[in-house]
């Protein structure tokens, strides 16, 4: 077993994907400032730390359970850090037992901070946190293994979009706002698109072990169409939100990022069966989520 450093433990959590939890927390906080003029740095930091530790723990536990079902063990697609998990178990950096206990250690920290926020800010956060933690754990953990039932994509969109934005807004305001719900939907669609396009390179490994995600269920060719729906949905919601004044007018600037989505879609249709060539599409999808999220945050902080 290789010697472990702080960097080892950090990289095992796949921190390159933490933007998908940080950005919705920032958005929910920005909407609270925009709507009611409230901002607590302490509550924001607690929300951010709880969110990051929760995401980190779920990532590590997902590596453990994907080792148990052997989908990562037989996956030889050379696209790390995008697909196939951290591969720390497969490379002998962490043992399966170390991975399992580390995942629960991270989740425990998130739960403790979450309970503190529930005690300080109110009971609704308990239900938001419970749904997030339980669905995140059951995403890959048997006997539920939602990612093998065609439900994993929906749960990722729910957790890293709606629940996170609404939760961050509630922490600041102790209320739930319609604008927060509408603003969260594009992030739900785009974070689902990130997970979804990453399932294409893993197709054969997932299919072989019975990991029946949506790409496996639909088949690669038909699955390309759903990716178009996810990208289109996100931008349509932004336009509708502005029309009905749920989102600031400047939110429309996010449409300037649409070419990233178009290039990702085009690349996917051409290279859906060529994993190395999909790297560009995967990167474009991640950038699309980041840029759109950033513009929405700025639109709420600096409305016109």
């Amino acid at each position: 077993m290789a010697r472990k450093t702080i960097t080892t433990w950090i990289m095992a959590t796949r921190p390159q994907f933490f933007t998908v939890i940080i950005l919705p927390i920032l958005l929910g906080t920005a909407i609270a400032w925009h709507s009611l003029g409230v901002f607590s740095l302490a509550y924001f930091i607690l929300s951010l730390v709880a969110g990051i530790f929760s995401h980190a723990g779920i990532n590590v536990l997902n590596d453990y359970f994907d080792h148990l079902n052997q989908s990562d063990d037989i996956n030889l697609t050379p696209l790390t850090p995008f697909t196939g998990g951290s591969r720390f178990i497969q490379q002998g950096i962490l043992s399966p037992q170390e991975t399992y206990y580390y995942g629960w250690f991270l989740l425990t920290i998130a739960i403790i901070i979450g309970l503190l926020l529930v005690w300080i800010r109110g009971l609704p956060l308990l239900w938001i946190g419970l749904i997030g933690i339980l669905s995140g754990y059951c995403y890959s953990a048997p006997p539920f293994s939602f990612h093998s039932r065609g439900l994993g994509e929906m749960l990722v969109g729910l957790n890293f979009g709606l629940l996170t934005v609404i939760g961050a807004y509630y922490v600041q305001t102790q209320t739930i706002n319609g604008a927060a719900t509408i603003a969260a939907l594009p992030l739900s669609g785009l974070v689902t698109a990130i997970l979804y396009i990453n399932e294409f390179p893993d197709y054969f490994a997932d299919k072989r072990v019975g990991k029946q995600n949506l790409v496996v269920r639909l088949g690669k060719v038909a699955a390309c169409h759903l990716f178009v729906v996810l990208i289109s949905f996100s931008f349509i919601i932004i336009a509708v939100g502005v029309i009905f004044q749920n989102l600031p007018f400047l939110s429309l600037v996010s449409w300037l990022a649409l070419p990233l989505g178009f290039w990702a879609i085009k690349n996917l249709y051409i290279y859906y069966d060529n994993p190395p060539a999909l790297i560009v599409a995967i990167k474009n999808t991640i950038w699309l989520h980041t840029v759109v999220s950033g513009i929405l945050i700025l639109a709420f902080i600096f409305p016109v």
Side-chain angles (χ1 to χ4, degrees):
M1 195 70 66
R3 187 175 69 88
K4 301 168 188 63
T5 64
I6 292 177
T7 302
T8 303
W9 296 109
I10 292 174
M11 295 310 296
T13 66
R14 287 180 271 165
Q16 65 271 18
F17 291 109
F18 284 173
T19 55
V20 301
I21 190 68
I22 293 171
L23 290 169
I25 292 173
L26 285 170
L27 180 58
T29 305
I31 298 170
W33 170 255
H34 171 83
S35 302
L36 298 175
V38 298
F39 172 70
S40 166
L41 180 61
Y43 294 153
F44 169 70
I45 292 174
L46 286 173
S47 300
L48 199 60
V49 173
I52 290 173
F53 272 88
S54 174
H55 188 194
I58 289 169
N59 280 350
V60 172
L61 288 172
N62 182 64
D63 279 353
Y64 171 76
F65 289 115
D66 277 354
H67 163 70
L68 289 189
N69 65 35
Q70 296 188 314
S71 61
D72 282 353
D73 291 9
I74 67 173
N75 189 354
L76 301 179
T77 304
L79 282 182
T80 301
F82 298 114
T83 66
S86 70
R87 306 202 66 79
F88 275 27
I89 295 177
Q90 289 72 29
Q91 294 170 6
I93 299 173
L94 292 178
S95 70
Q97 187 177 43
E98 286 174 324
T99 302
Y100 180 76
Y101 287 123
Y102 180 46
W104 268 113
F105 168 75
L106 296 168
L107 270 188
T108 300
I109 294 175
I111 291 169
I112 290 171
I113 298 173
L115 290 175
L116 175 62
L117 285 170
V118 169
W119 180 57
I120 298 172
R121 303 302 286 165
L123 193 60
L125 289 175
L126 177 63
W127 312 123
I128 293 173
L130 273 177
I131 294 172
I133 293 293
L134 289 177
S135 62
Y137 178 79
C138 295
Y139 171 81
S140 54
F144 299 100
S145 301
F146 289 129
H147 66 4
S148 297
R149 302 176 187 273
L151 298 173
E153 296 84 359
M154 178 189 71
L155 290 177
V156 165
L158 174 68
N159 286 336
F160 294 96
L162 275 171
L163 288 182
T164 304
V165 174
I166 292 172
Y169 180 88
Y170 188 91
V171 166
Q172 295 290 329
T173 67
Q174 295 181 298
T175 61
I176 294 177
N177 177 282
T181 303
I182 299 299
L185 291 176
L187 272 65
S188 289
L190 293 175
V191 75
T192 303
I194 292 173
L195 171 69
Y196 190 73
I197 197 169
N198 273 281
E199 291 173 348
F200 280 82
D202 296 340
Y203 175 84
F204 290 109
D206 290 344
K207 186 175 182 179
R208 182 175 170 185
V209 301
K211 190 174 175 180
Q212 297 288 314
N213 55 48
L214 287 181
V215 173
V216 171
R217 288 171 181 268
L218 295 172
K220 287 187 177 183
V221 176
C224 292
H225 307 326
L226 183 54
F227 185 72
V228 178
V229 172
L230 291 170
I231 301 297
S232 302
F233 166 81
S234 301
F235 283 93
I236 290 170
I237 287 295
I238 293 171
V240 171
V242 172
I243 291 170
F244 287 96
Q245 299 183 327
N246 296 116
L247 303 180
F249 180 76
L250 281 179
S251 301
L252 290 177
V253 175
S254 62
W255 273 68
L256 294 176
L258 188 56
L260 286 171
F262 173 77
W263 292 329
I265 290 168
K266 181 179 178 181
N267 193 268
L268 178 61
Y269 271 97
I270 296 173
Y271 299 115
Y272 64 86
D273 210 22
N274 184 354
L278 273 181
I279 291 177
V280 173
I282 293 171
K283 287 182 176 179
N284 281 341
T285 308
I286 294 171
W287 271 111
L288 185 63
H289 175 273
T290 302
V291 172
V292 170
S293 300
I295 291 172
L296 290 176
I297 291 165
L298 292 175
F300 277 101
I301 296 175
F302 305 107
V304 295

